[in-house]
Amino acid sequence: MKIVVIGGTGLIGSKLVARLGEHGHQAVPAAPNTGVNSLTGEGVKEVLQDANVVIDVSNSPSFADDDVLEFFRTSTTNLLEAAAAAGVGHYVALSVVGSERLPDSGYLRAKVAQEELIEGSGLPYSIVRATQFFEFAGGIADSATSDGQVRLPASSMQPMAADDVAAAVGRTAAGEPKNGTIEVGGPEVIALDEWIRTVLSARSDARTVVTDPEARYFGAVPQRELLPGSDAQLAQTRLSEWLTSN
């Protein structure tokens, strides 16, 4: 199949393109640096010609509330319109577990808006909701650092490796449309503060992680809202294994 990966040169997208290619599909990476910009619409119609599947793993360059909402609304609308015109048979998007349960987060509100556009489009679709990626630990620490301390709540998380995210999205894209949502997560529950503390320690990062019940994570203070449900597909890679290989 011809599968176009929007955001195909990013963390998940590049892994998807490689994985799909290994399984015999024509995987096309589509991103601004390949001449495809879903926000402006540049190159979108052209790249989707004759595509069987489109996978959207793109992300907003700015996480400011208004910017991220504008990105997902505009980008998704452009992609859906072009996919419908091209007769694409399966629209796959990567989203976040628990998005609808944390409305205080501007980023998660934007992901909910994206999902609603897809669900209302009339196109055959699958939405893969994933938990947080191990690879984001450094960025989370940086965003929570003040005066040399990383302040984070002890929120329950079930993070997973980007390789496992890509595998789940790839399997979904190669199958029949679900016309619904799939949840995927890591194999173990770990507190947000402890997750980041473990990664920083493994990387000999001298910053101290302080447990702060009032600290915010992307604008919200989650408790257990970001955990996947009991029917989620759980990956195999544990944090300790990922740290050994990264």
Side-chain angles (χ1 to χ4, degrees):
M1 293 189 293
K2 178 183 177 181
I3 302 177
V4 176
V5 182
I6 307 296
T9 61
L11 173 63
I12 302 299
S14 58
K15 294 178 183 295
L16 261 172
V17 169
R19 184 177 292 271
L20 291 167
E22 290 169 358
H23 284 81
H25 299 294
Q26 180 191 355
V28 181
N33 58 4
T34 70
V36 180
N37 190 319
S38 59
L39 187 59
T40 66
E42 177 190 0
V44 172
K45 291 180 180 178
E46 292 79 3
V47 79
L48 291 186
Q49 288 302 310
D50 303 318
N52 304 101
V53 182
V54 59
I55 303 174
D56 183 9
V57 293
S58 63
N59 212 348
S60 174
S62 167
F63 281 13
D65 287 2
D66 291 344
D67 293 343
V68 73
L69 181 59
E70 175 65 18
F71 175 85
F72 281 116
R73 279 182 172 167
T74 302
S75 174
T76 304
T77 297
N78 289 338
L79 290 171
L80 289 169
E81 290 177 352
V88 173
H90 192 183
Y91 191 104
V92 181
L94 178 61
S95 192
V96 183
V97 165
S99 292
E100 80 287 3
R101 297 192 288 266
L102 287 174
D104 287 346
S105 168
Y107 183 84
L108 296 182
R109 288 199 304 272
K111 295 302 286 185
V112 170
Q114 178 191 28
E115 291 186 15
E116 290 174 346
L117 286 169
I118 295 167
E119 291 164 353
S121 69
L123 288 174
Y125 74 93
S126 301
I127 295 172
V128 180
R129 285 183 166 183
T131 57
Q132 291 63 42
F133 309 162
F134 292 149
E135 285 79 359
F136 288 169
I140 293 171
D142 292 344
S143 68
T145 296
S146 177
D147 297 326
Q149 291 185 331
V150 182
R151 308 189 72 86
L152 290 167
S155 308
S156 295
M157 300 279 182
Q158 207 159 325
M160 62 190 299
D163 280 333
D164 292 335
V165 177
V169 175
R171 285 194 305 271
T172 302
E176 294 297 316
K178 303 293 185 182
N179 292 316
T181 300
I182 303 161
E183 286 192 339
V184 297
E188 55 193 342
V189 176
I190 183 171
L192 173 59
D193 57 339
E194 185 59 27
W195 167 29
I196 304 306
R197 187 178 291 116
T198 299
V199 173
L200 294 186
S201 176
R203 294 179 174 170
S204 300
D205 190 313
R207 284 178 291 179
T208 299
V209 177
V210 177
T211 304
D212 182 351
E214 302 302 320
R216 291 187 171 267
Y217 174 78
F218 288 105
V221 184
Q223 301 297 322
R224 300 180 61 84
E225 292 90 345
L226 295 176
L227 292 178
S230 59
D231 59 347
Q233 300 174 14
L234 300 185
Q236 298 299 310
T237 309
R238 303 175 76 86
L239 178 59
S240 58
E241 298 168 24
W242 179 81
L243 284 170
T244 299
S245 59
N246 288 270

